[in-house]
Amino acid sequence: MSGMIVIAGAGHAAGQAAASLRQKGYEGRIIMIGGEAWVPYQRPPLSKKFLVGELETKQLYFKPENFYPDKEIELRLSTRVETVDRATGSVTLDNGKTLEYDKLIMCIGGRVRKLVIPGNDLSGIHYLRTINDVLAIQKDFQAGAKLVIVGAGYVGLEVAAVAVQLGLDVTVLETEDRAMGRVIGPEVSKFFQQRHHEAGVRIEFGRMVQEFRGDSSITEVVCGDGYKVPADLCIVGIGLLPNTEIAEDAGLECDDGIMVDEYCQTSDPDILAAGDCTRHPSSLYGRQFRLECVQNAIEQGKTAAATICGERTPYNQAPWFWSDQYDIKLQIVGVSLGYDKLVIRGDMADNSFAAFYLRDSRLLAVDAINSPREFMLGKKLVTAKASFDIAELADEGKDFKELATAALNATS
Ligand SMILES: Cc1cc2nc3c(=O)[nH]c(=O)nc-3n(C[C@H](O)[C@H](O)[C@H](O)COP(=O)(O)OP(=O)(O)OC[C@H]3O[C@@H](n4cnc5c(N)ncnc54)[C@H](O)[C@@H]3O)c2cc1C
């Protein structure tokens, strides 16, 4: 296998795609174009151990720096792909150069959604997506400082947990009526809200931030209902926008993500895409998803490489995700959207339980809180589209492993 592969982006999906191409014996040139100055790195620790200062930058790297020259993967960092010309099979870069490709893999991720409100240019207002973002935040991260976090999603709450433990005074402002509403059910939200409350984090629901005030630096955050919070610094975590513009300009099919099939193929046979920037079909759920998680970036990176190498291995896994807050590890498998029954097993007071989401008795998703066994079995069960008798599942007297084994046997 030879030819020229250009990978746009140098994040998780890109790093995996390049590594998998070499693993599968691809011998042609691979050039990876990354908008950031860093070799592909892992973002999850950015709001966890890296923010606290427990990890060095190098410990975030997806592969050691010498992996790329050793595998003859050419990195062009601090460089962006600006346009894709499908007619000539080439990309232009922001340094004016043009590169021809036989295959292009777009792994261009997403960018933080910004708050466009008065005062948004004051210093002390931060977003969190990159290593550079964290290095900037750390300068303002002092014990006693008043930190306002906008958004009670998982990034905001992970930062809240780190900050309050470092002695910052933390307020979280959220427009919705519960925490992490996009990823977990209401009962599990309540559990996390309680843990944050016990740790000293104030979470204010129904607060729509309308203005940042201050002279040159932020001093106050003002909400639409007049509620005001003093602030020495602010971190905004209100979601991600997929980077689809260059794909759209090139005429690729996009809809809140670059549309790909289960082989990571876009609407152009020579262009593939992987990771946060894509929307893909899931035959497991009979719908399309755009996912923002490491598992999806890794698996789609592998799938794109396999497709280029002539393998037809469809990507159709149950998505999974994790979040660390205090001593709580939340592991989620599947997507609970549309569930009609919720069963909780375990002890919330003990910080160890699992929430099972079912529809018509079929298990859609599991939120496992400090419950690795439920998470591991949950992966198999969700993938197998296993069904349960609700009363049995809810019966704590019944061993979960036995129930899971029986449910799996019934599907095979
Ligand atoms: C703070 C934080 C915590 C997270 N925690 C978790 C977690 O606990 N568990 C989990 O599963 N997931 C977590 N995630 C999500 C996870 O990190 C992402 O899903 C994953 O990084 C997606 O990888 P990707 O390669 O698709 O995109 P990205 O990692 O966004 O990489 C895309 C890269 O492409 C570059 N790029 C964009 N446009 C261009 C262009 N035109 N030319 C060249 N380069 C370009 C970008 O600069 C970027 O470096 C977290 C994310 C963040 C930000």
Side-chain angles (χ1 to χ4, degrees):
M1 286 169 284
S2 62
M4 165 81 134
I5 293 180
V6 171
I7 303 179
H12 241 115
Q16 183 62 54
S20 294
L21 281 166
R22 287 298 184 231
Q23 247 167 20
K24 290 178 182 299
Y26 184 82
E27 287 171 355
R29 270 183 90 183
I30 302 175
I31 302 185
M32 195 190 293
I33 319 286
E36 293 180 65
W38 311 93
V39 295
Y41 63 90
Q42 308 167 66
R43 294 188 199 278
L46 296 182
S47 48
K48 308 175 182 83
K49 288 189 170 176
F50 186 68
L51 180 60
V52 195
E54 283 178 17
L55 292 179
E56 304 271 320
T57 308
K58 282 191 173 178
Q59 291 173 284
L60 299 178
Y61 293 167
F62 176 66
K63 299 274 183 195
E65 279 165 293
N66 62 2
F67 173 83
Y68 303 94
D70 287 355
K71 298 285 179 192
E72 297 185 23
I73 296 165
E74 301 170 44
L75 289 181
R76 311 268 167 89
L77 300 177
S78 304
T79 307
R80 298 181 68 78
V81 171
E82 280 198 328
T83 56
V84 178
D85 183 342
R86 291 164 58 197
T88 56
S90 62
V91 295
T92 51
L93 310 182
D94 59 359
N95 59 14
K97 294 195 174 141
T98 299
L99 285 176
E100 289 187 0
Y101 62 80
D102 293 301
K103 296 282 179 194
L104 170 65
I105 315 179
M106 303 186 87
C107 304
I108 48 181
R111 58 187 180 281
V112 290
R113 188 188 294 275
K114 296 231 167 168
L115 264 183
V116 187
I117 55 172
N120 60 358
D121 54 349
L122 292 169
S123 72
I125 300 171
H126 300 275
Y127 290 82
L128 206 174
R129 180 78 190 166
T130 65
I131 288 179
N132 290 355
D133 291 339
V134 178
L135 298 178
I137 290 170
Q138 280 170 335
K139 289 188 193 141
D140 291 341
F141 234 55
Q142 309 294 338
K146 295 184 185 66
L147 166 64
V148 175
I149 296 171
V150 184
Y154 75 89
V155 170
L157 292 187
E158 286 180 353
V159 172
V162 166
V164 80
Q165 292 176 98
L166 289 176
L168 282 83
D169 178 73
V170 186
T171 305
V172 181
L173 302 175
E174 166 62 53
T175 50
E176 300 296 325
D177 59 0
R178 65 186 182 93
M180 294 193 284
R182 241 173 18 108
V183 287
I184 52 177
E187 287 74 5
V188 186
S189 289
K190 237 184 254 169
F191 166 82
F192 276 95
Q193 288 159 206
Q194 182 60 24
R195 292 298 165 273
H196 280 280
H197 174 71
E198 286 161 11
V201 172
R202 285 177 299 280
I203 310 184
E204 290 282 335
F205 294 105
R207 304 288 188 192
M208 169 83 80
V209 172
Q210 188 174 280
E211 187 182 350
F212 296 124
R213 287 192 187 149
D215 284 335
S216 58
S217 297
I218 186 164
T219 55
E220 193 175 56
V221 181
V222 184
C223 299
D225 58 1
Y227 184 78
K228 294 175 188 163
V229 195
D232 298 314
L233 75 152
C234 178
I235 298 176
V236 183
I238 55 168
L240 180 101
L241 295 172
N243 290 324
T244 53
E245 289 79 359
I246 55 174
E248 281 170 38
D249 291 346
L252 295 176
E253 204 184 321
C254 296
D255 177 12
D256 181 40
I258 304 170
M259 303 299 287
V260 294
D261 64 13
E262 60 272 51
Y263 304 101
C264 291
Q265 194 75 67
T266 68
S267 49
D268 180 319
D270 292 328
I271 305 180
L272 298 95
D276 283 11
C277 65
T278 68
R279 178 173 287 275
H280 70 275
S282 162
S283 62
L284 199 54
Y285 290 95
R287 50 166 294 175
Q288 289 170 335
F289 288 122
R290 188 175 67 73
L291 299 171
E292 297 166 17
C293 62
V294 167
Q295 172 265 343
N296 179 62
I298 294 284
E299 295 305 327
Q300 284 197 318
K302 287 182 189 169
T303 303
T307 302
I308 288 176
C309 293
E311 292 170 23
R312 297 293 281 172
T313 316
Y315 165 56
N316 185 31
Q317 294 185 3
W320 56 268
F321 177 82
W322 76 96
S323 174
D324 298 323
Q325 297 169 38
Y326 311 104
D327 55 354
I328 305 163
K329 180 169 276 301
L330 163 69
Q331 291 170 297
I332 302 174
V333 58
V335 179
S336 59
L337 219 68
Y339 72 93
D340 57 21
K341 280 275 175 317
L342 167 65
V343 173
I344 296 198
R345 292 177 63 96
D347 190 355
M348 284 199 184
D350 232 16
N351 289 345
S352 174
F353 66 98
F356 298 85
Y357 300 87
L358 304 103
R359 185 183 175 88
D360 298 331
S361 304
R362 176 191 153 192
L363 184 67
L364 297 177
V366 182
D367 298 342
I369 288 83
N370 291 338
S371 300
R373 185 183 70 152
E374 279 67 14
F375 172 66
M376 293 310 291
L377 287 169
K379 263 190 192 174
K380 291 186 187 164
L381 291 161
V382 170
T383 306
K385 300 187 181 181
S387 293
F388 284 92
D389 177 294
I390 307 290
E392 275 199 342
L393 184 61
D395 182 352
E396 296 269 4
K398 301 227 184 275
D399 180 62
F400 178 62
K401 196 168 174 196
E402 282 174 20
L403 289 176
T405 307
L408 286 170
N409 287 340
T411 62
S412 52

